[in-house]
Amino acid sequence: MSDAVDGLRVMRAGPLALLQDAGRCGVRRLGVTQGGPADLHGWAWANHLVGNAWGTPALEVTFGGLELVAERDLTVAVAGADLGATLDGAPLDGWRSFSLEAGQRLAFATPVNGLRAYLAVAGGFAAPPVLGSVACVVREGLGGHDGRGHRLAEGDRLRVTPQRAGRGCELGHEAPSEARIDYRRPAELSLLPGAQVGEFSGESLYRAFNAPWRVDDRADRMGVRLAGPPLSCRMTSMISEGIGLGAVQVPPDGQPIALLNDRQTIGGYPRLGALTPLACSRLAQCLPGQEVRLKAVATEPALEDYRRFRAAFA
Amino acid sequence: MSRRLPRGLPRLEPAGLDGWMVRLFDTIDEANMPWLTALVRECEAAFGETLVDLVPSYTTLLVIFDPLRLSPAEARQRLGALLARLTPDEEAADAPVKELPVWYDASVGPELGRLAELAGMSREAVIACHSERTYRVFALGFAPGFAFMGSVDARLEAPRLETPRRRVPAGSVAVAGRQTAAYPAVTPGGWNLIGRTPAVLFDRDREGFSLLQVGDRVRFVPIERAEFERRGGDARPMEEAR
């Protein structure tokens, strides 16, 4: 933090650009949410491509509209959604590291493929940790580039930690093709059934795992509503209890809500179960109107998938 | 205090790749809390570095661990072992009670009159009734430092507002159902407001961050406006308060 220097200046902020590290932990019992990247996969690749360790703060750009100017020579990478990024007006390929020279302009337009792009800079963005984390949670006023939970605004300066020599300096690192997800394809979301799954009617369970679900426009970093056939559950409400990442709760209107990084820490609706971390990431890249399906999975294979994903960044 | 858990409990329920829900009770009760605070401490000791987070709430504890270092089966085993020997925290009758000063007034607590009407008592009686009890913090949630406390005297039980307010001032003291709380920061909210506390409920620069913690015993102490302002309270009415 002390050796941080100016890295980028915000010329145009767009609707929502937030600094995110791996998330805030250890304080959920105080009602403080987790935060962190909505798409762990895209965020992890952006950092990895510039040689940053797991957990380094990177910028989550939702929808686009962001325009940045480099204040010094930087090595950067963009991964996750294709938001029509350009470098000094020329189209820019994602999923690779490249050099951004002082004065050059990096701009994000609108979604082409996916919803959230991640920008990482070699050495990492520098920001004051709040309650142990840089994760930006606007609703709580915690974290982010200024520590106060603010989204980026025009005129903001993003500080960076200069990269250490010999690490993350190499240009042209590319993610393998299997890591580059086509977010326009139908998404199948892995769900680990939870304790209340037996409280749903048989017909509702059949629908839950066989019907197509449409991503509603009520979707943000707290949660994503899914629209489809109504599900009925014998329980309508419960005594409030802790809610994990990806929990799929079903309020009395029968329309499920998948709870993401900025969800409230406790809640009292019955749940079908929990999406896996990678299913949450996939859902976070879906635009309203997109179709998704829920697929019940067992713990072991899901854990195997997650461990394989994390091993790529060890 | 109950020395035993209800029949069929505790139960471990799956909660994703990295979590177990420990269900200790099936009803809300103050006597649950010494069990939950004991379980929190035992989990911290048993999981150490592999622990990611703990969320105690009314009847349950959500345990989040690092699935790269511990499999769900291993986590389950650890929880089973510590639950088998779990005993509730001993609490002395004179255990510390946290005091929250409150200026009860209709200008900062617009539902004071509604509660009086529902209870069929005077506003003064409502204030006395709310402030003479010692409450217990059942859970924190909704917003950082927002403590759900109970149980409020049955006569003061009041449903939430039909239309939540878009903006509830920080420090607002409120009742909903048989629970009471104080809003740490300006947020939307649908609870019945009856007064305001000058206490800072959540402070990122204070050790522990939140004034109130799960399991705490809390009492509300009526104060006058002058004392409220002397302690740094914002006495401006609803719309203007920060």
Side-chain angles (χ1 to χ4, degrees):
Chain A
M1 195 52 210
S2 55
D3 57 354
V5 294
D6 285 341
L8 292 153
R9 194 147 43 93
V10 180
M11 308 307 286
R12 213 152 50 85
L16 187 65
L18 307 169
L19 212 54
Q20 298 292 349
D21 63 10
R24 199 164 271 116
C25 52
V27 282
R28 264 187 255 176
R29 75 184 75 171
L30 307 180
V32 177
T33 195
Q34 172 177 11
D39 172 12
L40 199 61
H41 174 92
W43 169 88
W45 271 106
N47 266 327
H48 187 63
L49 290 168
V50 292
N52 290 342
W54 180 268
T56 304
L59 199 58
E60 178 177 285
V61 184
T62 301
F63 201 81
L66 177 73
E67 212 173 296
L68 303 163
V69 164
E71 303 205 276
R72 66 183 57 244
D73 294 350
L74 301 166
T75 300
V76 303
V78 176
D82 176 356
L83 301 180
T86 54
L87 179 59
D88 279 342
L92 184 72
D93 285 337
W95 302 99
R96 61 184 303 165
S97 59
F98 59 96
S99 156
L100 189 62
E101 285 161 26
Q104 279 194 307
R105 188 174 290 241
L106 175 63
F108 296 86
T110 51
V112 175
N113 187 348
L115 183 59
R116 294 177 162 97
Y118 291 86
L119 171 68
V121 41
F125 288 101
V130 180
L131 276 62
S133 165
V134 163
C136 187
V137 179
V138 176
R139 175 169 49 90
E140 296 179 343
L142 299 176
H145 65 296
D146 65 350
R148 298 273 152 196
H150 288 135
R151 62 189 76 198
L152 292 194
E154 190 183 316
D156 281 345
R157 286 193 135 89
L158 289 168
R159 313 264 294 163
V160 301
T161 306
Q163 65 200 72
R164 279 163 290 166
R167 189 150 185 278
C169 313
E170 314 91 83
L171 297 174
H173 275 188
E174 279 190 45
S177 56
E178 62 271 21
R180 306 171 182 212
I181 299 173
D182 183 352
Y183 304 113
R184 291 167 298 198
R185 292 174 59 93
E188 195 172 66
L189 306 176
S190 297
L191 181 145
L192 298 150
Q196 291 100 45
V197 78
E199 302 292 326
F200 289 85
S201 71
E203 193 188 356
S204 286
L205 286 181
Y206 181 82
R207 286 170 173 168
F209 297 108
N210 289 282
W213 293 95
R214 192 173 44 76
V215 174
D216 194 82
D217 55 9
R218 286 166 295 176
D220 57 22
R221 285 180 44 87
M222 285 181 77
V224 175
R225 264 172 200 271
L226 301 176
L231 306 181
S232 71
C233 183
R234 273 185 290 275
M235 302 170 93
T236 50
S237 73
M238 302 159 55
I239 296 169
S240 282
E241 58 189 39
I243 315 174
L245 178 70
V248 178
Q249 67 176 20
V250 182
D253 70 2
Q255 302 291 278
I257 305 173
L259 296 164
L260 301 182
N261 299 71
D262 289 2
R263 68 196 178 280
Q264 293 188 6
T265 52
I266 60 174
Y269 291 123
R271 297 177 297 271
L272 279 172
L275 298 181
T276 63
L278 293 173
C280 292
S281 291
R282 183 65 188 84
L283 179 60
Q285 291 290 8
C286 291
L287 286 142
Q290 215 170 319
E291 202 174 283
V292 299
R293 284 174 188 272
L294 301 176
K295 179 188 169 196
V297 296
T299 304
E300 276 311 315
L303 189 59
E304 219 28 67
D305 279 353
Y306 183 68
R307 286 182 168 162
R308 205 175 316 119
F309 161 71
R310 287 292 301 267
F313 309 105
Chain B
M1 186 190 304
S2 77
R3 307 295 299 181
R4 290 176 56 192
L5 297 174
R7 183 189 293 269
L9 298 174
R11 196 163 63 230
L12 288 169
E13 300 173 353
L17 270 192
D18 59 353
W20 284 104
M21 181 71 78
V22 185
R23 194 169 300 284
L24 288 182
F25 298 95
D26 44 23
T27 53
I28 296 175
D29 194 317
E30 266 201 56
N32 298 353
M33 303 321 289
W35 287 88
L36 278 168
T37 51
L39 181 55
V40 163
R41 222 187 26 262
E42 292 293 328
C43 285
E44 284 170 337
F47 284 79
E49 291 282 291
T50 63
L51 187 68
V52 172
D53 228 321
L54 292 170
V55 193
S57 179
Y58 298 94
T59 54
T60 55
L61 177 69
L62 175 63
V63 180
I64 307 290
F65 53 88
D66 179 354
L68 298 184
R69 301 165 76 172
L70 205 62
S71 72
E74 290 166 320
R76 186 192 178 114
Q77 206 167 24
R78 278 191 205 189
L79 286 168
L82 69 88
L83 282 167
R85 53 178 168 76
L86 186 70
T87 55
D89 278 339
E90 293 291 342
E91 274 193 330
D94 58 352
V97 175
K98 288 182 178 168
E99 294 193 337
L100 279 188
V102 184
W103 175 38
Y104 291 96
D105 190 84
S107 68
V108 292
E111 275 76 58
L112 197 53
R114 180 185 189 223
L115 252 67
E117 216 169 282
L118 284 170
M121 53 171 82
S122 68
R123 291 182 184 194
E124 292 67 32
V126 168
I127 295 167
C129 191
H130 184 259
S131 58
E132 73 190 4
R133 278 206 180 198
T134 300
Y135 300 99
R136 182 76 72 158
V137 177
F138 290 133
L140 271 71
F142 171 65
F146 187 100
F148 293 84
M149 292 176 266
S151 292
V152 171
D153 188 296
R155 290 170 296 167
L156 298 187
E157 181 169 351
R160 289 168 202 231
L161 304 180
E162 259 177 40
T163 311
R165 286 188 172 86
R166 292 165 64 103
R167 188 177 175 285
V168 175
S172 293
V173 172
V175 172
R178 291 195 60 190
Q179 297 194 73
T180 187
Y183 285 79
V186 175
T187 52
W191 289 34
N192 300 278
L193 310 186
I194 58 172
R196 203 177 284 169
T197 177
V200 175
L201 293 148
F202 192 84
D203 181 352
R204 60 169 71 197
D205 300 319
R206 175 170 60 200
E207 191 176 342
F209 310 117
S210 176
L211 181 63
L212 305 178
Q213 308 274 339
V214 169
D216 279 356
R217 303 201 305 153
V218 180
R219 195 175 292 142
F220 296 93
V221 180
I223 55 171
E224 295 301 321
R225 176 178 180 148
E227 175 69 2
F228 173 79
E229 290 188 292
R230 196 185 63 74
R231 295 194 186 207
D234 181 352
R236 287 175 294 180
M238 295 296 297
E239 331 48 75
E240 296 154 39
R242 54 175 189 260

